[in-house]
Amino acid sequence: MKKRIILLIFSVFCFNSFSFSQNNIIDSIRSLLKTEQPDTNRVNLLNDLVKEYNDIGASDSAMLIANSAIQLCDIISKKKSDSTIRLMLEKNKAYALNYIGIIYKDQGNYSEALKNYFASLKIRENIADKKGEAGSYGNIALVYANQGNYPEALKIYFISLKLFESIGYQKGISNSYNGIGNVYYSQGDYPLSIKNHFASLKIRKLLSDKKGQAASYGNIGLVYYEQGNYQEALKCHLSALEIEESSGNKKGIAGSLNNIGLVYENLGNYEEALKNYFASLKIKEAIRGKKGIANSYYNIGAVYTKQKKYKDAGRFLFKAKELAKEIGYKECLRYVFNNLSKLDSATGNYKSAYENRKLYILYRDSIDNEETRKKTIQSQMTYDFDKKEAIAKAEHKQELENQQMLAEEKSHKQKIVLFFVLGSLILVLFFVGFIFRSLRVTRKQKNIIALQKDLVEQRKQEVEHQKNLVEEKQKEIIDSITYAKRLQQAILPSDEEIKKHLPESFILYKPKDIVAGDFYWMHVSPKENIVFVAAADSTGHGVPGAMVSVVCSNALNRAVNEFNLIETGKILDKTRELVLETFAKSGEEIKDGMDISLLSLKYDAQSSKLVEAHWSGANNPLWYINNSQQLIEIKPDKQSIGKTDHPKLFTTHPIDLNISDTIYLITDGYADQFGGEKGKKYKYKQLQEKIIATHNLPLSKQKESLLHSFNEWKGNLEQVDDVTIIAVRI
């Protein structure tokens, strides 16, 4: 599973905090309440007590006291006519409603949470409490995000951000960036997610906001995790945990433990992963956070599945399913059904596996579809457009004020002129001419202003037209790329199929764009008991490269299926013939094709031991490391699969392999990547040295090391080509 349900640290709009002296604080507030009269001071104390009870997880007590605070506000409001007191009461009432919403949200009761958040928002709008409004919008957006309604969540987060920016409230701005980053994370848009989280972290460091910094470190760690950078992810989560433990924030501690467990799980350290998952679950159960509990049940069940402890796995996955259904947690259900399907398959319950697989696809498609992504993009565009429109309105207002000042100044001058006209007939005659001249200039200026106004209106219509064209073209491009991606995915073998026939292997596949010219290919011939595997680099990358890869993959399939070829050299000969035949149908001279490294492994039908191995290559070499720890390279034929000036038959190379030898099939994308301190190519020699240095590692660790080295070398530079490396250990 590429992506695991994880706990997004928490929304910092819910201002919860802990301290070791909390019980003393509660006792102090209760003592004050015994002596305080039923007035605004008593309401303030009740709201303080709500916060403290909620922070220690005593949600029932917090709920009871919050309702008491609301009732007291209504009673006092009926008796008091002073506007200042009424304003304070309304603020306190909105505060109490907001905390009731927080309690319901933490319990997974999203409908009641929204009901109270909207009630709080309405009061804050009526009393023009901009800061409170922005906070309410942030809490509402968090509920929508928890329900999987990402477009609506993103739209409301941007409303919250604009309100905070309008009053210059930096902590609120950082909270909005945090929420926006979480929504982009849930949508799989990791560059935008990490951009917003770093923007939030920067502000929180300036404000010395330790709790906010912990949230940012946790969320940045989640993005690094999804990008496969586990070491950086672990550093971030440990930094977050250290801050949370120093402040005693139970929710934050639970979230950090959960995410640390997730990193250990993906590093293969299942015992350490379970240790952190169970520690996180214990805290979540104590504070009754249903969403977090469902996540922990699922994560524990997934680890037990990997350990093949199917009974324990089924027990925790069932708990996760039931709780997620109760609170309408679609994201969790999506991954629970997927894992249940795998669990049923492993235990031979294929009918149940099929039903759970259908439910997984149903929830996956309902959450992650193109319409959702389109609405997300539109929310971002709406925010940018509104911001630019506000700037334009401000500039226009300033221009009108300047014109008014000029007009007033001109009028003042005319009065002076008229005064002097009365003094002298000669001056009268002189200034009459001046006035007529001024009138002509004024009339001319009015005409110019009218023309400018028409021009501005025309430009506005042109901008609207261009905006519509951009949206239309954007949809066409997205549809085209989506279709090309669907085509390419259809030609790639699944991870399950590869692991079935080549259990000791890895494929490092990193396209430059959404779709790629690189592709990997596998075919199994049961009759001869041969496994073919290849790494191929088609001409170009992106959509054109992807289409060429479809043609080349189809030609490989025909060579082995239709023409029953098993010798690697002859397979490449026939593939070149079929590719040229396909391109010839266009009537134009097309020189596109592919470079390829093709390996065949023949196994004994009885013992499953390797009998013989052969290899052929078109421009791409084969490397393998033998028992003497030496890297041996077999040179390819210097010709491609496609139009060639002087074509010759491809060579079939026999390879003498032994147990524990490791074979590497590569394309040129890794070695050609620019980067490092001087911005130079990585080159094949450096790649060979990297493979030699890490070849004794488990293949999964070697893949992680190669990927980390590539990303570190590339840095902030653009990826220049698709990257494919296939490793097979005998």
Side-chain angles (χ1 to χ4, degrees):
M1 180 183 301
K2 284 188 175 181
K3 185 176 179 183
R4 169 66 58 77
I5 283 287
I6 44 186
L7 181 65
L8 295 180
I9 298 300
F10 51 85
S11 170
V12 290
F13 287 102
C14 305
F15 297 101
N16 298 333
S17 61
F18 284 84
S19 68
F20 293 109
S21 61
Q22 207 146 27
N23 288 332
N24 293 333
I25 295 173
I26 291 173
D27 291 341
S28 298
I29 296 172
R30 292 177 67 89
S31 296
L32 290 172
L33 282 169
K34 292 178 181 178
T35 60
E36 197 65 50
Q37 296 298 315
D39 55 11
T40 54
N41 289 334
R42 185 175 182 83
V43 174
N44 289 333
L45 289 172
L46 287 173
N47 277 335
D48 289 342
L49 196 57
V50 170
K51 177 184 179 302
E52 298 302 327
Y53 272 127
N54 188 65
D55 285 351
I56 64 172
S59 56
D60 291 340
S61 297
M63 180 78 77
L64 182 64
I65 296 168
N67 281 307
S68 297
I70 293 170
Q71 291 173 5
L72 184 56
C73 285
D74 291 337
I75 292 170
I76 299 173
S77 181
K78 291 178 181 179
K79 297 179 181 179
K80 300 291 184 179
S81 58
D82 185 273
S83 59
T84 302
I85 294 177
R86 283 179 173 272
L87 180 63
M88 292 176 60
L89 290 170
E90 288 296 287
K91 280 189 175 182
N92 277 291
K93 186 175 180 179
Y95 182 93
L97 285 167
N98 186 70
Y99 251 97
I100 292 173
I102 292 171
I103 295 166
Y104 278 126
K105 184 269 297 180
D106 291 342
Q107 292 175 351
N109 191 341
Y110 297 134
S111 61
E112 285 298 321
L114 285 173
K115 176 181 175 182
N116 283 275
Y117 282 151
F118 276 115
S120 177
L121 173 62
K122 185 177 180 181
I123 294 173
R124 287 167 170 174
E125 288 176 337
N126 289 337
I127 62 176
D129 178 9
K130 296 293 184 183
K131 180 179 173 183
E133 285 181 51
S136 290
Y137 277 122
N139 286 337
I140 292 166
L142 175 61
V143 173
Y144 283 133
N146 287 347
Q147 291 178 320
N149 190 351
Y150 302 128
E152 193 67 23
L154 195 62
K155 182 175 73 174
I156 295 174
Y157 270 132
F158 280 126
I159 293 173
S160 177
L161 175 60
K162 286 196 287 186
L163 281 170
F164 280 132
E165 288 177 337
S166 70
I167 60 175
Y169 184 48
Q170 294 300 311
K171 185 172 183 179
I173 294 171
S174 71
N175 292 344
S176 295
Y177 280 133
N178 181 79
I180 292 167
N182 284 347
V183 175
Y184 280 130
Y185 169 86
S186 297
Q187 288 287 79
D189 193 339
Y190 303 129
L192 272 180
S193 176
I194 206 165
K195 175 183 176 182
N196 280 277
H197 283 311
F198 272 118
S200 178
L201 178 61
K202 182 179 180 181
I203 296 172
R204 288 166 173 176
K205 285 183 176 180
L206 291 173
L207 298 175
S208 297
D209 178 7
K210 293 295 184 181
K211 178 187 172 185
Q213 290 175 44
S216 292
Y217 279 125
N219 290 335
I220 292 168
L222 297 180
V223 179
Y224 279 136
Y225 164 80
E226 292 298 341
Q227 293 177 325
N229 192 347
Y230 299 130
Q231 295 304 322
E232 286 300 319
L234 191 58
K235 287 180 183 178
C236 287
H237 292 318
L238 289 171
S239 296
L241 179 61
E242 182 180 357
I243 296 172
E244 303 290 13
E245 287 179 336
S246 67
S247 63
N249 187 347
K250 292 183 180 179
K251 293 180 184 177
I253 294 171
S256 295
L257 288 169
N258 182 83
N259 296 331
I260 291 168
L262 187 62
V263 176
Y264 278 124
E265 179 185 345
N266 279 271
L267 290 173
N269 191 342
Y270 299 140
E271 295 303 322
E272 195 65 28
L274 284 173
K275 174 184 173 183
N276 283 276
Y277 283 153
F278 275 112
S280 176
L281 175 60
K282 184 177 180 181
I283 296 173
K284 292 170 186 174
E285 288 176 336
I287 62 178
R288 299 176 63 187
K290 291 187 178 181
K291 179 173 179 286
I293 293 171
N295 286 339
S296 291
Y297 284 155
Y298 169 74
N299 288 340
I300 293 168
V303 173
Y304 279 138
T305 302
K306 290 182 178 180
Q307 292 181 316
K308 297 184 179 180
K309 297 179 179 179
Y310 298 133
K311 184 176 180 180
D312 291 331
R315 179 161 52 90
F316 278 96
L317 290 174
F318 180 78
K319 286 183 177 182
K321 180 182 73 172
E322 293 303 309
L323 186 54
K325 281 184 176 180
E326 177 187 333
I327 63 176
Y329 190 6
K330 293 181 181 179
E331 186 79 7
C332 184
L333 285 170
R334 168 186 180 182
Y335 291 105
V336 168
F337 282 123
N338 186 40
N339 211 286
L340 282 172
S341 176
K342 293 181 179 181
L343 179 62
D344 288 333
S345 295
T347 56
N349 192 354
Y350 300 114
K351 182 178 179 181
S352 180
Y354 174 70
E355 293 299 326
N356 282 315
R357 180 68 178 174
K358 287 198 300 182
L359 288 169
Y360 158 67
I361 293 171
L362 177 65
Y363 278 97
R364 180 198 65 189
D365 293 345
S366 69
I367 294 171
D368 189 17
N369 55 63
E370 294 302 324
E371 184 64 25
T372 299
R373 295 184 184 277
K374 180 180 176 183
K375 289 180 180 177
T376 302
I377 294 169
Q378 287 174 344
S379 294
Q380 177 70 57
M381 291 176 65
T382 299
Y383 170 70
D384 294 338
F385 180 79
D386 288 347
K387 196 170 185 179
K388 292 175 182 176
E389 186 178 36
I391 294 171
K393 285 181 179 179
E395 292 175 349
H396 181 62
K397 181 180 179 181
Q398 184 63 44
E399 183 180 351
L400 290 176
E401 290 176 353
N402 292 339
Q403 289 178 355
Q404 185 177 358
M405 289 176 63
L406 289 172
E408 290 175 355
E409 183 180 353
K410 183 176 179 181
S411 175
H412 180 65
K413 289 181 179 179
Q414 289 176 341
K415 288 179 180 179
I416 296 174
V417 169
L418 290 173
F419 175 78
F420 281 101
V421 167
L422 296 174
S424 171
L425 181 60
I426 296 173
L427 290 177
V428 168
L429 294 173
F430 174 78
F431 281 111
V432 165
F434 177 78
I435 291 170
F436 277 118
R437 181 177 177 276
S438 297
L439 289 172
R440 285 197 299 270
V441 172
T442 301
R443 191 177 296 110
K444 185 177 180 181
Q445 288 177 339
K446 286 183 178 179
N447 291 335
I448 292 172
I449 291 171
L451 288 173
Q452 289 177 339
K453 183 178 179 182
D454 292 340
L455 182 60
V456 168
E457 186 64 29
Q458 182 181 349
R459 291 287 173 83
K460 181 180 178 182
Q461 292 176 357
E462 290 176 359
V463 168
E464 288 293 331
H465 178 64
Q466 291 297 325
K467 179 174 175 287
N468 292 334
L469 287 177
V470 168
E471 289 178 349
E472 184 178 346
K473 290 297 181 183
Q474 183 186 46
K475 183 180 184 302
E476 291 177 1
I477 292 169
I478 290 174
D479 290 345
S480 176
I481 294 175
T482 300
Y483 183 69
K485 181 180 180 181
R486 205 175 294 131
L487 286 175
Q488 184 153 51
Q489 287 177 334
I491 69 171
L492 299 177
S494 66
D495 293 343
E496 291 80 2
E497 184 180 2
I498 292 170
K499 288 298 182 183
K500 178 180 178 181
H501 299 287
L502 299 171
E504 285 292 315
S505 65
F506 75 71
I507 295 179
L508 195 164
Y509 183 61
K510 187 175 178 62
K512 177 183 183 297
D513 302 306
I514 296 175
V515 290
D518 275 20
F519 69 95
Y520 49 94
W521 176 84
M522 188 175 79
H523 175 76
V524 179
S525 177
K527 183 178 179 182
E528 290 81 12
N529 214 27
I530 297 176
V531 177
F532 297 94
V533 63
D537 181 2
S538 301
T539 306
H541 47 73
V543 174
M547 300 312 294
V548 175
S549 71
V550 171
V551 173
C552 294
S553 176
N554 184 55
L556 284 168
N557 288 327
R558 289 186 63 194
V560 296
N561 291 324
E562 185 177 334
F563 294 94
N564 299 318
L565 299 175
I566 60 173
E567 187 178 327
T568 55
K570 290 182 179 180
I571 290 173
L572 295 189
D573 292 334
K574 176 56 71 174
T575 299
R576 176 171 57 191
E577 177 186 333
L578 295 173
V579 169
L580 291 174
E581 178 184 305
T582 301
F583 287 148
K585 294 177 181 178
S586 68
E588 299 179 4
E589 184 179 5
I590 299 176
K591 296 184 179 181
D592 291 318
M594 68 173 171
D595 298 335
I596 189 171
S597 179
L598 174 62
L599 173 70
S600 72
L601 301 171
K602 182 177 178 64
Y603 293 92
D604 181 75
Q606 300 299 324
S607 64
S608 297
K609 292 183 179 180
L610 182 68
V611 177
E612 58 184 36
H614 293 86
W615 174 84
S616 296
N619 287 329
N620 287 342
L622 176 135
W623 299 341
Y624 70 95
I625 298 179
N626 60 19
N627 290 331
S628 300
Q629 311 297 311
Q630 293 180 322
L631 189 147
I632 301 171
E633 178 178 10
I634 304 178
K635 302 288 186 180
D637 292 310
K638 292 299 181 179
Q639 58 180 350
S640 65
I641 303 296
K643 186 72 174 178
T644 305
D645 291 336
H646 302 290
K648 60 181 181 179
L649 297 177
F650 284 97
T651 307
T652 299
H653 299 272
I655 313 173
D656 185 16
L657 296 173
N658 298 301
I659 293 175
S660 298
D661 288 356
T662 307
I663 309 164
Y664 297 89
L665 311 176
I666 62 171
T667 62
D668 59 359
Y670 198 113
D672 287 348
Q673 178 60 45
F674 290 97
E677 294 181 357
K678 298 182 180 180
K680 293 185 177 181
K681 285 188 176 182
Y682 194 90
K683 295 186 178 180
Y684 286 101
K685 182 178 179 181
Q686 187 174 347
L687 178 56
Q688 288 178 340
E689 292 171 352
K690 179 67 177 177
I691 287 175
I692 292 171
T694 61
H695 82 279
N696 283 324
L697 295 173
L699 289 182
S700 61
K701 300 296 184 184
Q702 187 179 18
K703 176 182 176 181
E704 291 176 11
S705 178
L706 285 168
L707 182 60
H708 176 73
S709 179
F710 179 83
N711 290 329
E712 190 176 62
W713 177 264
K714 179 172 72 69
N716 294 325
L717 297 180
E718 181 182 358
Q719 185 173 332
V720 299
D721 199 359
D722 305 318
V723 173
T724 305
I725 299 178
I726 301 175
V728 180
R729 183 165 289 166
I730 304 302

